[in-house]
């Protein structure tokens, strides 16, 4: 049986749930060929036709993925009713077709929705990073390298961590994207070192909410660095995660998207992912399918107004599209 097209409405519904139970026999398909940061059973990528969606694995999800009769195909169901047929995409390093690597899994900042400060995880050295990229290369799926990082000691230290890696990563001859907390002047350094795209996250454009959930950071400072980045990288090469589900109004989202688009930045509207380690630390609510569709269509209208196009992305989240409803790609 042929793949079933993932419509914008279906993807919005799947993202609003955000999880899926998976037949254990199918997990090796989703793992790919490595034990990189995206391997294992924490999430899977379901692809049908040219569209994909990423879902975390949960035994209690109303969504399920089961093997279909046809070789290598799977069926996606909601409470036993078939929604779509497609395949599980290998994600050797966080997402398909990229080596998407978190360099530092720790953070000194305490954004109230984020589990990273509580987890205080691993910090990868150069050898580990190269091993991950080599594994994706051997799997035959390396089309981009994307680097992100928490903050171990200082934002300056994380920028330097990335800059030290860039010369050796250029040998792979694929686009490189970087997403870190920025320093003044770092965009010029990244660009000169061969980076093609950057993502500096505003998290939310509602200033009152920002102060409550990211009080250690400065929204104005991030906006200044985004403006600086657009001057260097140009339009369609600078992105920013914009979390949906922290209590913001649709009006504030529209105003925030317009503010970013006006300076040449493409917002990535990212549904909040409530984490048990941050339970009660701040308001979080997974957005409904209807709200996701409404906001994505609103974003498309604004991006069109300012001549921005998500489909031109070469790295990171907008190239993957698994977690978000992406204008001009998903609809």
């Amino acid at each position: 049986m042929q793949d079933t097209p993932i419509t914008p409405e279906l993807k919005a519904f799947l993202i609003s749930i955000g999880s899926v139970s998976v037949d254990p026999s199918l997990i090796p398909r989703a793992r790919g060929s490595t034990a990189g940061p995206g391997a294992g059973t924490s999430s899977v990528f379901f692809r049908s036709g040219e569209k994909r969606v990423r879902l975390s694995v949960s035994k209690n999800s109303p969504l399920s993925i089961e093997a279909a009769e046809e070789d290598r195909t799977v069926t996606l169901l909601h409470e036993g009713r078939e929604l779509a047929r497609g395949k599980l995409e290998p994600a050797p390093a966080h997402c398909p077709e990229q080596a998407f690597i978190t360099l530092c899994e720790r953070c000194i900042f305490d954004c109230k929705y984020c589990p990273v400060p509580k987890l205080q995880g691993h910090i990868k050295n150069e050898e580990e990073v190269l091993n991950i990229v080599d594994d994706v290369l051997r799997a035959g799926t390396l089309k981009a390298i994307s680097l992100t990082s928490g903050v171990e000691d200082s934002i300056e230290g994380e920028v330097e961590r990335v800059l030290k890696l860039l010369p050796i990563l250029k040998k792979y001859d694929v686009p490189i994207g970087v997403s870190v907390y920025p320093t003044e002047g770092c965009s010029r350094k990244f660009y000169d070192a061969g980076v093609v795209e950057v993502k500096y996250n505003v998290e939310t454009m509602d200033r009152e909410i920002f102060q409550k959930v990211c009080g250690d950071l400065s929204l104005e400072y991030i906006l200044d660095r985004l403006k600086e980045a657009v001057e260097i990288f140009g339009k369609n090469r600078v992105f920013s995660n914009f979390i949906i589900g922290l209590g913001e109004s649709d009006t504030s989202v529209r105003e925030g998207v317009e503010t970013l688009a006006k300076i040449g930045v493409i917002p990535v509207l990212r549904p909040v992912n409530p984490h048990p380690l941050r339970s009660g630390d701040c308001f979080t609510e997974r957005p409904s399918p209807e709200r996701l569709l409404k906001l994505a269509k609103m974003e498309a209208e604004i991006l069109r107004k300012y001549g921005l196009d998500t489909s031109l992305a070469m790295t990171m989240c907008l190239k993957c599209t698994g977690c978000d409803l992406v204008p001009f790609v998903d609809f």
Side-chain angles (χ1 to χ4, degrees), residues 73-211:
T73 61
V74 297
T75 305
L76 177 63
L77 307 101
H78 177 250
E79 297 180 343
R81 180 176 66 88
E82 181 175 319
L83 298 179
R85 291 199 180 198
K87 65 179 181 179
L88 291 178
E89 277 192 288
H94 186 70
C95 70
E97 301 181 332
Q98 296 188 53
F100 202 142
I101 303 168
T102 302
L103 303 178
C104 172
E105 299 169 14
R106 303 178 186 178
C107 196
I108 59 174
F109 299 117
D110 189 29
C111 295
K112 302 304 181 185
Y113 51 82
C114 180
V116 172
K118 302 287 187 181
L119 294 169
Q120 290 297 301
H122 181 59
I123 299 172
K124 297 177 182 67
N125 59 35
E126 180 181 297
E127 181 181 3
E128 290 173 291
V129 171
L130 293 178
N131 284 342
I132 292 170
V133 180
D134 285 338
D135 282 340
V136 182
L137 181 65
R138 281 191 291 269
T141 58
L142 182 65
K143 294 184 179 179
I145 296 171
S146 298
L147 303 176
T148 187
S149 192
V151 181
E152 181 187 15
D153 296 311
S154 69
I155 58 175
E156 293 81 6
E158 297 309 319
V159 168
E160 288 304 313
R161 193 191 305 277
V162 172
L163 288 170
K164 288 178 182 177
L165 283 168
L166 292 175
I168 196 166
L169 293 178
K170 287 173 69 175
K171 71 178 183 179
Y172 293 97
D173 196 27
V174 295
I176 299 174
V178 170
S179 177
V180 294
Y181 191 81
T183 60
E184 188 171 353
C186 72
S187 288
R188 171 55 63 187
K189 294 177 181 178
F190 289 149
Y191 184 84
D192 289 346
V195 172
V196 299
E197 295 171 334
V198 292
K199 180 157 68 73
Y200 306 147
N201 298 331
V202 293
E203 312 300 359
T204 179
M205 287 292 286
D206 183 306
R207 283 164 168 75
E208 184 176 339
I209 293 174
F210 186 96
Q211 187 59 38

Side-chain angles (χ1 to χ4, degrees), residues 39-98:
T41 61
S42 59
S43 64
V44 293
F45 285 83
F46 175 81
R47 183 176 186 123
S48 187
E50 297 302 311
K51 304 295 191 295
R52 67 164 61 105
V53 62
R54 175 182 178 270
L55 299 166
S56 62
V57 175
S58 169
K59 293 186 300 183
N60 301 318
S61 176
L63 297 174
S64 61
I65 290 177
E66 300 177 0
E69 293 181 6
E70 293 76 15
D71 184 40
R72 307 296 291 177
T73 61
V74 297
T75 305
L76 177 63
L77 307 101
H78 177 250
E79 297 180 343
R81 180 176 66 88
E82 181 175 319
L83 298 179
R85 291 199 180 198
K87 65 179 181 179
L88 291 178
E89 277 192 288
H94 186 70
C95 70
E97 301 181 332
Q98 296 188 53

Side-chain angles (χ1 to χ4, degrees), residues 307-320:
L308 297 170
D309 187 350
T310 60
S311 70
L312 298 177
M314 297 184 285
T315 69
M316 298 184 286
C317 301
L318 286 179
K319 183 61 176 176
C320 173

